[in-house]
Amino acid sequence: MNAFRDARLSLGQLPPGAGGTLADVPGVRVGHHTIAHGEGANAIRTGVTAILPPGDPYAEPLPAGVFVLHGHGKALGLWQILHLGELETPILLTNTLAVPRCADALLTWTLARHPSARSVNPVVLECNDGRLSAIEARPVTEGDALAALGAGAEHVEEGCVGAGTGMVAFGLKSGIGTASRAVGSFTVGALALPNMGRREDLRPPPGLPAPARASPPDQQGATGSLIVVLATNAPLSPEQLSRLARRASLGAARTGAPATTESGDFTVAFSIGWRIPRGVERIPMELIADRSPTMGGLYRAAAEATEEAIYSALVAATPLAGRDGQVVPTVVRP
């Protein structure tokens, strides 16, 4: 189970999936590559996290949708998903200044499998870890991103790993968090990268001690971002997946995520329930009705899994000394 459940915490109305992670969606894997070295002003605390869907996403893209709550971010590849509804590469998460190098890695990864490809839409999402890491040194390389892709596994490690290494949320050490929900035979999994909010914004769930208020108030938390990736095995259309992605914002709001004027709040949702083979004229598929109870359950699952994933990122985080020796406190586990 995820760190949230391991701490004997629970929330919501729906049951978690078997493992309580994004990888409860069959075939989905997550890999991390962590970069942590140096001290003082030159300390590096960053990394890359890869979300790999099953199969070959370039040969058979997956239906996908996007929701942008606030767009102060440097995400790459979302426009094509919004217009074509297809995910054709894995998804990489990293720091703000490493987006181009991670895009290069996705191009290299795809071209190694499809040398004849002449157009590839790499999907990269980011949060700024400059508070704890010398982001301006641009330490992430294409090789680091390829290492994250190569580390994909069904076990989803949480906390200060990969892209989560330098994250701070609600004035507390954050990182990678994950959760899942079951809706009948379907699963919705969420992976969150929270990097937003001040201490006074946090609304802890029952059982999680409220942290002491920062004095003076933490003004750095007034800016920051939140990335969420949703996966499901429910056969949903791109339009339905975009609506599913919107529900992630409901779960984030329950935690106290503020979505400020300088935040990048992005959610990408994809389904493994059917494929869009490249070049076909017609696609036979059987979708879930928009007004069905099942669709309502999937919406609830997206909100609950996102909320839990954000809390799990806080619970899983461990102490870390960042640039200039700065140590951000961690949440008190129950």
Side-chain angles (χ1 to χ4, degrees):
M1 279 291 173
N2 61 13
F4 184 82
R5 297 278 164 169
D6 282 344
R8 301 182 181 276
L9 297 169
S10 65
L11 60 82
Q13 300 178 21
L14 295 172
T21 75
L22 184 76
D24 287 341
V25 178
V28 174
R29 294 171 293 135
V30 176
H32 302 293
H33 183 72
T34 303
I35 309 169
H37 58 77
E39 304 295 337
N42 299 317
I44 301 297
R45 306 289 187 265
T46 192
V48 183
T49 294
I51 296 98
L52 297 98
D56 186 336
Y58 187 81
E60 292 189 307
L62 296 91
V66 170
F67 179 64
V68 179
L69 180 62
H70 195 268
H72 193 280
K74 285 71 183 172
L76 187 68
L78 301 190
W79 276 113
Q80 183 164 315
I81 295 178
L82 281 167
H83 284 267
L84 299 183
E86 299 179 358
L87 176 68
E88 63 182 31
T89 72
I91 299 169
L92 292 182
L93 312 182
T94 190
N95 76 58
T96 305
L97 299 185
V99 170
R101 289 175 177 170
C102 286
D104 278 343
L106 286 172
L107 294 177
T108 297
W109 189 91
T110 302
L111 288 168
R113 292 158 176 78
H114 298 277
S116 62
R118 295 298 178 265
S119 174
V120 180
N121 185 50
V123 178
V124 187
L125 303 164
E126 55 78 26
C127 285
N128 195 307
D129 56 20
R131 179 170 176 176
L132 295 180
S133 183
I135 188 173
E136 68 279 5
R138 302 179 65 198
V140 177
T141 67
E142 180 181 344
D144 294 324
L146 288 169
L149 288 162
E154 293 182 359
H155 171 71
V156 184
E157 190 176 358
E158 296 181 285
C160 305
V161 293
T165 304
M167 296 295 103
V168 179
F170 303 114
L172 301 166
K173 189 66 191 74
S174 177
I176 293 288
T178 187
S180 67
R181 288 294 185 273
V183 182
S185 61
F186 300 126
T187 299
V188 175
L191 185 140
L193 184 66
N195 192 48
M196 74 297 161
R198 298 172 298 176
R199 196 82 59 86
E200 52 266 37
D201 293 324
L202 179 63
R203 299 177 179 178
L208 189 65
R213 295 292 179 91
S215 182
D218 175 24
Q219 295 303 318
Q220 292 189 65
T223 62
S225 300
L226 170 63
I227 303 301
V228 178
V229 176
L230 299 175
T232 183
N233 58 345
L236 303 181
S237 70
E239 292 81 6
Q240 289 173 318
L241 286 162
S242 287
R243 292 197 290 273
L244 192 78
R246 292 178 198 172
R247 269 60 183 192
S249 295
L250 297 179
R254 293 171 191 162
T255 70
T260 65
T261 57
E262 295 186 36
S263 66
D265 302 291
F266 298 88
T267 301
V268 175
F270 66 89
S271 169
I272 68 162
W274 57 287
R275 297 278 178 162
I276 310 172
R278 191 170 293 276
V280 301
E281 290 290 333
R282 297 179 64 87
I283 304 170
M285 55 183 177
E286 184 176 342
L287 300 177
I288 294 170
D290 281 330
R291 298 186 181 182
S292 67
T294 298
M295 196 69 230
L298 294 170
Y299 286 158
R300 180 181 293 275
E304 289 189 6
T306 298
E307 180 183 8
E308 183 172 312
I310 292 171
Y311 289 134
S312 201
L314 298 175
V315 174
T318 51
L320 177 145
R323 67 189 308 172
D324 298 322
Q326 182 177 183
V327 177
V328 179
T330 56
V331 71
V332 178
R333 291 174 63 104

